[in-house]
Amino acid sequence: MKLIECPRDAWQGFHPFIPSEVKLEYLNQLLRVGFDTIDFGSFVSPKSMPQMRDTGWITERLDLSGTNTGLLAIVANERGAADACAFEQIGYLGYPFSISETFQIRNTQAGIAESFDRVKRMADLCKAHKKELVIYISMGFGNPYGDPWAPEIVMEWVEKLSKLGVNTFSLADTVGVARTGDIAWLFSGLIPTYPELEFGAHFHTRPDDWRVKVEAAYNAGCRRFDGALLGYGGCPMAQDDLVGNMTTERLVEFAKEQKELLTLDANELQKAHTMFQQIVG
């Protein structure tokens, strides 16, 4: 199993502003744990995400010596992608591509049609700078806006986006509405249909439904999971405070139950856990 730790998703909507030095210390601690990737920041408008306005400053100061963990930054348009590509330290750029037109406009100030054009340009930019573009299929299991959604639409979007040069997708349950049947249907349909692509799960959950979602994805072949320590955060743009991120500690527990090999240092993970508790109070 690949575990992607997402402090960016955990603290992007947190108030007040977390001092840059505190974030840097925490991220350096996470780099010692052994996660496959850390979704550590974003290059977006500071007006929309003021908590992330120091991502560039932090990137330049991260201690990447002795770690194999990759860095992923979220971008919302080509300008953000160009800013992220300027940093050699960053290996992955993540772009949220919503099945919901309403949410896509709310989240990136662009509709679905324009977002396809953006992805093409960003994929070319990533290729030129030796980065990998990761597409987050947000509202990937339904939405609260009444916008059209069906598993077949997700399959269609993946087909179109893969032709633009995207090789990695993370299906996001942005507001925690995913049903286990839909999770199983999508992953069991996508993974064998596109063996050359990688598919992950970015679940937002409540404490009582995390396991059934992870089991449904895992049993359908998914081996890439996003999480955040303490299950903190979620998507502030979705305006649903009742759901948080998938709890990393639960993912670690699940992986051990499945006898999955994880290259995590338990002592460093506990230090990160304690540090983050202190940050968010």
Side-chain angles (χ1 to χ4, degrees):
M1 278 176 61
K2 286 185 179 181
L3 295 188
I4 288 69
E5 178 63 18
C6 303
R8 183 271 318 167
D9 206 1
W11 62 35
Q12 65 181 1
F14 183 79
H15 301 286
F17 184 76
I18 301 170
S20 302
E21 293 80 3
V22 173
K23 291 179 191 162
L24 178 62
E25 183 181 5
Y26 178 59
L27 289 170
N28 279 332
Q29 178 59 43
L30 288 177
L31 286 167
R32 301 184 189 104
V33 176
F35 292 108
D36 180 86
T37 307
I38 296 177
D39 173 358
F40 81 105
S42 61
F43 291 86
V44 298
S45 168
K47 292 182 179 180
S48 61
M49 291 291 176
Q51 190 66 254
M52 310 314 301
R53 66 178 186 258
D54 55 0
T55 295
W57 184 91
I58 288 172
T59 305
E60 293 177 334
R61 292 162 176 79
L62 287 170
D63 181 7
L64 299 174
S65 62
T67 183
N68 293 319
T69 298
L71 294 178
L72 182 149
I74 296 295
V75 300
N77 50 41
E78 297 97 316
R79 180 177 178 179
D83 289 344
C85 282
F87 292 94
E88 184 179 351
Q89 300 94 321
I90 297 172
Y92 305 92
L93 274 61
Y95 180 71
F97 198 118
S98 180
I99 299 298
S100 160
E101 179 83 11
T102 302
F103 188 67
Q104 189 64 17
I105 293 171
R106 175 181 290 185
N107 203 27
T108 67
Q109 288 73 58
I112 289 173
E114 183 180 346
S115 288
F116 274 113
D117 293 334
R118 282 186 179 181
V119 169
K120 176 62 171 68
R121 294 191 290 269
M122 287 190 291
D124 291 342
L125 190 63
C126 285
K127 184 177 180 180
H129 289 84
K130 298 181 181 179
K131 315 290 186 188
E132 182 173 343
L133 182 61
V134 178
I135 292 295
Y136 287 84
I137 304 291
S138 57
M139 299 291 174
F141 298 93
N143 64 81
Y145 311 113
D147 291 341
W149 177 87
E152 292 81 2
I153 297 176
V154 180
M155 297 281 284
E156 179 185 353
W157 265 215
V158 168
E159 173 72 18
K160 291 181 178 179
L161 291 164
S162 66
K163 291 179 178 178
L164 299 179
V166 180
N167 296 309
T168 305
F169 295 84
S170 189
L171 275 57
D173 184 17
T174 314
V175 287
V177 298
R179 296 173 295 186
T180 55
D182 291 330
I183 294 171
W185 193 100
L186 275 169
F187 282 107
S188 62
L190 288 166
I191 291 171
T193 301
Y194 303 99
E196 73 282 9
L197 305 180
E198 181 176 24
F199 294 96
H202 183 99
F203 292 135
H204 290 179
T205 68
R206 295 172 175 83
D208 60 347
D209 66 0
W210 74 268
R211 180 176 289 276
V212 292
K213 292 183 179 183
V214 173
E215 284 181 341
Y218 182 87
N219 291 337
C222 179
R223 294 295 183 272
R224 176 189 174 106
F225 291 90
D226 289 10
L229 289 177
L230 307 180
Y232 202 87
C235 181
M237 303 303 291
Q239 298 179 342
D240 189 340
D241 295 331
L242 298 178
V243 293
N245 279 299
M246 173 62 66
T247 305
T248 297
E249 293 89 339
R250 296 287 181 258
L251 288 174
V252 173
E253 171 188 324
F254 181 83
K256 290 179 178 178
E257 291 173 1
Q258 303 304 317
K259 296 181 170 54
E260 287 280 351
L261 179 63
L262 295 178
T263 58
L264 303 184
D265 186 311
N267 290 330
E268 299 295 353
L269 179 61
Q270 182 57 47
K271 290 178 185 177
H273 177 99
T274 301
M275 189 179 294
F276 192 59
Q277 282 182 313
Q278 295 170 345
I279 291 173
V280 297

